[in-house]
Structure formats: C-alpha cells, structure tokens
Amino acid sequence: MKNIRKASSILLCLTLSASLLAACGSSKGSEGASSSAQTQAEGVKKDGFPIVDKQLTLTMMSQDAGVADWNQMPVLKEMEKLTNIKFNYQLSPIDSFATKKNLVFASGDLPDVFYGADLKPAEQVTYGTQGVLIPLEKYIDGGYAPNIKKIFDEHPDIRKSFTTPDGHIYALPNVDLSAVWYRSPMWYNGKFLKALNVTELPKTTEELYTYLKRVKNEDPNGNGKKDEIPLTSVKLDDLRMYFLGFWGIYDEVIYADKDGKVHYTPQEEGYKGYLTFMNRLWKEDLLDHETFSQTPEQKKAKGQNNQIGVFNDYYPYFTLGGEPSGDNPLMTPVKSEIPGSPVYGKHPGISANGTFAITSKNPAPEATMRWIDYQYGYDGATLFAQGPENLLWKYKNKETHEKEWLPVPGGKDREEYRGTMTPNYGILTPGMNSAELTNGLKSDFDKWIDKENAEKLVPIGKTPFPNVYLTNEEQSEATALLSDLNTYVQQMEAKFVTGQEPLSNWDKYVAQLKKMGADRIVELYQGAYDRWNSKK
C-alpha cells in the first residue's frame, strides 16, 4: 500500500518526456467535433444543483488502483446525489490502462468521458483534430465551468499550456497551486550529521564533497566497519535533476534560460560540470558503485541498515525506515563554479498530461463540464481529496475552512481508508489542490516539510520547460531524433561517470550529439517555446 500512497503523491512529478511527446496538427476535424450525438444544453443549469433535473447516465473510462468498488465509493455516490449524473465505470488496472486506452481509441468504441486518463499532449491533439475528443473551451468560456475559468483567468500560463496551436483545449490538467517538488528531493541521514557534529549543511559542491569524504572515512554509523555509502542512487535517475541544479540547469533534457533561449541539457557546460563532479565521487568511492545495477528495493535496504549518507526519496523515512520526523534534513542545493547556481526545477503547478476529456460520443457535454468543474473549486476538491465531511474529517471553523481529522473507522491507516472512499488515490485525477484544502489537517511533519521547502527550494525555484506543442511534422522529427539521442546520452552518462570514457573526450561527445541532431532539437523546441510565449 505504501507504493500506492507514494504514487498518489508523486504522480504530479511529471517528466519532460511527456512534453517532448507533444504534437499538434491542423484544425481539421475540430469544428466537426460537435457531432450529432451532442444535444443542446436543455435543462442543464449553469449554477446550483442538481445539474440536471432528469437523471443523466454516462460512461466513464479510468484507471483503477484496485482498492475499492467505484460504485460503492462515498465520494462518487455523493456526486451522483448532488448532480443527478450517474456514471457507468469502465476501469482498467493502472499497469494495463495505457494499452486499454489505445485499444479504445483504435476501435472507436468510446466512453463518454476519460477520467484520470493520462492523455499525452500528442494524444490530445491527434484525437482532438480527428474529432474524437471535443474542444472544451466553448463550455469553459460559456459559463459551464466557472471554477476552471477562474483558474485560467488568474493563471493564464495554465490555459496556454493546455491550448494547442489550433486554439482548442482538448483535455484538462490536474492543477496543484501549492506544489514545490517536481521530482522527489534529496535528503541527509540525520544520524550521520549528528555523529559527525555537522551543524551547518554544505553550501557548495566542494563542501558537499568534503562531507561525503567524512561519511566514508569517519564511521558515522558507529559499527566499526567501513560499510557507509556516502551517496547512493538508482541509475542516477533519482538524483540527476536535483544535482543538475547545482550547475544552473532546470531540466534533464530541455530548458529555457532567463532570456528565453532554449538549451539541450546534455551538451551544455553545466552538464559537463555535473559529469565531472559525479566522476570525482565515483573514483573516490563516494558514489555507490552499485548505482547502475541496484533496484530501488536494494537501495532502501541499505538505508534501513543505516549505511547511507545522502539519498533521494519522496520522504526520508521511506528509505531509512522509522516514523515521519524532522530528523533528516532536506538537502540544500549547493553552489558550483557556474554563475547563478544553484537553481531548482520546481513543480510547474499542472500535470504535463491531460487528466480529463469529453468524447464525441457524449450526449451532454455541458452537463459533463459542470460535473467536472466542481472538482476545480474548493468544495469539490475537498470532497475528492478527503471524502465527505464527518467520515474522516470535520470542520473546526467552516468560515475559515479549518478542519480536523476524525478517528479512522476500525483504527485503520487513514490513507488506505481514504483510498476506499475516493478515486483520487494512486492515480492522477482531474481537479485542483491548494494549501487551503489542508487547513488544520497538516501534521507536524507536514509543517516541517513546508518550512524546509520555503527555506531551501522556493527561493531558487523556477518552473521547468513548459507544456508545449509541436506541429505533426515537427513531432515526427523530434521523436525520431530524441529516440536516438536519449539512448546515446544515457549510455555516455554512465561511461563518463564511471570513467569508462574520459572527460577529455567531451568535445568529441558534443560533436556526436550535434551530428545526431541536438541542435535541431533546440530549434524545434525554441519554435514551440516562442509560440507558447506569444499566446495571451
């Protein structure tokens, strides 16, 4: 269950690869999306509940964490009672949902809505321009989605990040206005800090190196053995983005600097600095030599054996074991020789993929928009996040939205019990999250995390490369180029770090990247970024 709970929290940590799969096409088919199946908005109320007087039944396709029967979930039963809209659920397990989704698109046997659907930008545009997914902006601007409209008006970057170049919005994001982490962060083992009498965390790469040397040589776990692992990783995927920030880079593949110039990360000088530092750690046995072979479970086992000094995880106790506490500090990003470092690629506030879409089969798009819009306002977001009032929580002060937890029925784990109440568990669902939703519900550990973020990450944070769309021709070209580039970069990263390839061959490596189309990738994404920037 911990893995599902973790997934529920981490799924917003969405990769740039989703954006790099973006596509767009001509507007052909989009105007025809209002098929004969879609009726006029007769009897659909623009405000108040129920949304329709006569019960409406629709089909919903989603992925399922497998915890409970959606037909029995209190949240969905409450929504049916509130809106008078009933859903028949077509669910697939998380691991097989992508395959099932592709089959449904290919067959044309569509549900009325896709929910928690992980619709990649390329899928949004491909099936939007074909008329399979309908444009949503006319319902958003037409009074059927006031909560979404408010978010778009207050945060225009969110709207333009989900508007394709043909001017349409085919899917809705998950919006998290309180998120900081784009990837799970790095942590220090607090027991090691205490054993080594460290009262001030490293602020530069050299100070970090010195600390890691001390972990290796001074037996901070006190067992008389040289079994400490100063820094561990799984294929560098867990630490790469955090560490790249030490050299002024916001993203692993594509980022834009303060002047709006797009860069391909693996050919930048900052990336060379990162490789040089990691190679130094490898040569001196400060980076775990099982980094490229171990599993996440093997890494965690070392943590629970109190062998690890610095590591990545969503929360430190996931790796070290024990209970949530403030004993293991969040790593402060450190400064390198690169001017303007460190930086931190923070959460963009929205999902890169679409979480909700309405298909051309849907007979009542206006009513459906009203239904989903509720989840983008405070009351609906609270319902889907925490369940109906008086089950797991109650108000201490309704006017200020301050809540308090109630005892969990049967003494069960609260998060696991929550998973039986709402679909918003283990999958990324449509809707919004904000600090207001958890007013009064945060534990001391939650408050400590907020304080660590505010002090260490927020001041140097910048949203990574935005959700941009390529034309169909650009998409085909970028996909082909990146397929080969990503493979080459991954292979060379491991070789440079482990010393199989000397860093004296850096220029040769960059020349090969350029030969493989790295500069063309920059051109393609510069164009997409400029188009994104030009939107109002």
Side-chain angles (χ1 to χ4, degrees):
M1 285 301 172
K2 179 178 283 187
N3 287 339
I4 291 178
R5 293 202 303 272
K6 184 178 174 185
S8 183
S9 299
I10 297 175
L11 280 167
L12 278 182
C13 300
L14 296 162
T15 62
L16 176 69
S17 61
S19 291
L20 297 182
L21 286 171
C24 92
S26 70
S27 59
K28 181 181 179 181
S30 60
E31 293 304 318
S34 297
S35 70
S36 58
Q38 294 167 24
T39 63
Q40 295 297 314
E42 295 179 4
V44 179
K45 302 172 186 174
K46 286 190 173 182
D47 52 56
F49 294 100
I51 293 171
V52 289
D53 291 326
K54 182 179 178 182
Q55 187 178 69
L56 175 65
T57 300
L58 301 171
T59 58
M60 172 190 291
M61 182 177 178
S62 186
Q63 47 189 328
D64 182 16
V67 176
D69 180 357
W70 284 34
N71 291 292
Q72 301 304 317
M73 285 182 176
V75 165
L76 295 174
K77 290 170 82 171
E78 182 74 13
M79 278 296 285
E80 182 180 333
K81 186 169 112 180
L82 180 70
T83 65
N84 208 21
I85 297 175
K86 175 181 173 59
F87 279 97
N88 293 324
Y89 303 107
Q90 301 173 355
L91 305 176
S92 294
I94 293 171
D95 291 345
S96 60
F97 178 76
T99 300
K100 176 72 173 184
K101 180 178 61 174
N102 290 338
L103 289 173
V104 166
F105 276 129
S107 70
D109 185 16
L110 300 168
D112 294 313
V113 302
F114 286 99
Y115 182 92
D118 195 34
L119 291 162
K120 295 176 175 58
E123 292 174 324
Q124 295 168 38
V125 176
T126 297
Y127 298 114
T129 55
Q130 289 177 4
V132 175
L133 304 178
I134 69 169
L136 304 179
E137 68 278 356
K138 63 182 174 182
Y139 306 113
I140 295 171
D141 297 330
Y144 294 99
N147 291 316
I148 297 171
K149 181 72 161 59
K150 183 173 186 288
I151 291 172
F152 282 179
D153 288 348
E154 292 178 355
H155 306 276
D157 280 4
I158 295 179
R159 179 169 191 141
K160 70 182 185 180
S161 293
F162 264 74
T163 300
T164 59
D166 63 2
H168 292 304
I169 298 170
Y170 295 112
L172 298 175
N174 177 289
V175 178
D176 191 340
L177 302 177
S178 63
V180 175
W181 299 345
Y182 185 63
R183 302 279 193 277
S184 49
M186 305 294 299
W187 306 92
Y188 285 101
N189 183 333
K191 291 179 180 177
F192 283 18
L193 294 172
K194 188 173 181 181
L196 297 172
N197 295 313
V198 174
T199 58
E200 190 171 326
L201 298 179
K203 289 186 172 64
T204 67
T205 51
E206 199 59 34
E207 289 176 6
L208 176 60
Y209 164 79
T210 300
Y211 173 73
L212 296 175
K213 287 275 286 187
R214 291 191 66 195
V215 171
K216 178 187 176 186
N217 296 325
E218 297 182 28
D219 191 29
N221 67 10
N223 65 359
K225 302 176 184 178
K226 275 209 160 189
D227 62 346
E228 287 85 358
I229 301 166
L231 173 66
T232 192
S233 175
V234 177
K235 297 180 175 60
L236 302 180
D237 291 337
D238 47 2
L239 64 74
R240 185 183 301 111
M241 183 151 164
Y242 207 87
F243 272 50
L244 283 171
F246 305 168
W247 284 270
I249 293 175
Y250 290 98
D251 200 281
E252 300 169 64
V253 184
I254 293 285
Y255 69 99
D257 61 27
K258 59 183 174 58
D259 298 319
K261 182 181 178 183
V262 171
H263 299 264
Y264 178 59
T265 294
Q267 65 182 8
E268 294 296 315
E269 281 299 310
Y271 186 77
K272 180 183 180 183
Y274 153 77
L275 292 177
T276 302
F277 185 72
M278 300 307 291
N279 172 249
R280 182 186 186 189
L281 300 186
W282 181 274
K283 286 192 297 187
E284 300 193 32
D285 207 19
L286 304 180
L287 172 62
D288 193 344
H289 276 210
E290 294 183 348
T291 285
F292 295 100
S293 59
Q294 71 181 341
T295 65
E297 290 71 28
Q298 289 170 325
K299 183 186 85 167
K300 288 180 189 296
K302 295 172 182 177
Q304 295 185 17
N305 200 35
N306 199 31
Q307 292 178 263
I308 300 172
V310 181
F311 59 94
N312 170 284
D313 210 328
Y314 197 73
Y315 292 131
Y317 68 93
F318 284 0
T319 288
L320 299 178
E323 297 299 317
S325 75
D327 296 336
N328 305 290
L330 181 72
M331 183 187 213
T332 303
V334 297
K335 180 178 177 59
S336 71
E337 69 280 4
I338 298 290
S341 65
V343 297
Y344 174 71
K346 74 179 182 69
H347 195 284
I350 59 171
S351 56
N353 293 344
T355 57
F356 184 87
I358 300 175
T359 74
S360 57
K361 180 187 173 187
N362 191 306
E366 296 89 354
T368 306
M369 279 303 298
R370 282 271 348 256
W371 186 91
I372 193 61
D373 182 67
Y374 187 61
Q375 296 176 43
Y376 287 86
Y378 169 80
D379 290 332
T382 294
L383 174 65
F384 274 77
Q386 294 143 11
E389 186 180 2
N390 296 321
L391 285 182
L392 278 180
W393 63 278
K394 69 177 182 179
Y395 277 113
K396 286 179 76 173
N397 186 329
K398 195 162 187 175
E399 288 186 7
T400 63
H401 292 161
E402 185 180 3
K403 309 179 184 79
E404 62 181 342
W405 291 119
L406 296 173
V408 181
K412 298 177 182 177
D413 177 88
R414 179 179 290 116
E415 185 65 7
E416 291 180 7
Y417 187 81
R418 191 183 72 84
T420 68
M421 299 170 54
T422 176
N424 185 4
Y425 180 85
I427 64 174
L428 189 66
T429 56
M432 73 91 176
N433 183 40
S434 70
E436 187 181 21
L437 299 187
T438 54
N439 185 10
L441 299 179
K442 289 197 171 184
S443 66
D444 289 342
F445 178 70
D446 295 328
K447 293 173 184 175
W448 175 76
I449 292 288
D450 288 346
K451 185 172 181 291
E452 290 284 278
N453 285 336
E455 292 177 355
K456 298 175 179 179
L457 301 182
V458 172
I460 59 170
K462 178 184 174 182
T463 299
F465 201 68
N467 199 43
V468 299
Y469 294 87
L470 300 178
T471 67
N472 281 328
E473 294 77 13
E474 290 171 341
Q475 173 60 44
S476 297
E477 184 180 3
T479 298
L481 292 175
L482 283 167
S483 177
D484 292 337
L485 281 166
N486 290 344
T487 300
Y488 178 66
V489 167
Q490 186 178 34
Q491 292 172 346
M492 293 303 294
E493 178 188 47
K495 288 181 179 180
F496 280 131
V497 169
T498 60
Q500 294 178 46
E501 185 83 14
L503 279 154
S504 57
N505 284 345
W506 170 259
D507 289 343
K508 179 182 174 184
Y509 156 78
V510 171
Q512 180 62 23
L513 289 178
K514 293 180 182 298
K515 184 178 178 182
M516 295 174 71
D519 288 345
R520 177 58 179 157
I521 288 296
V522 171
E523 289 178 13
L524 291 171
Y525 282 93
Q526 184 72 62
Y529 184 70
D530 290 344
R531 289 195 297 267
W532 180 88
N533 255 332
S534 68
K535 295 177 186 175
K536 293 181 180 180

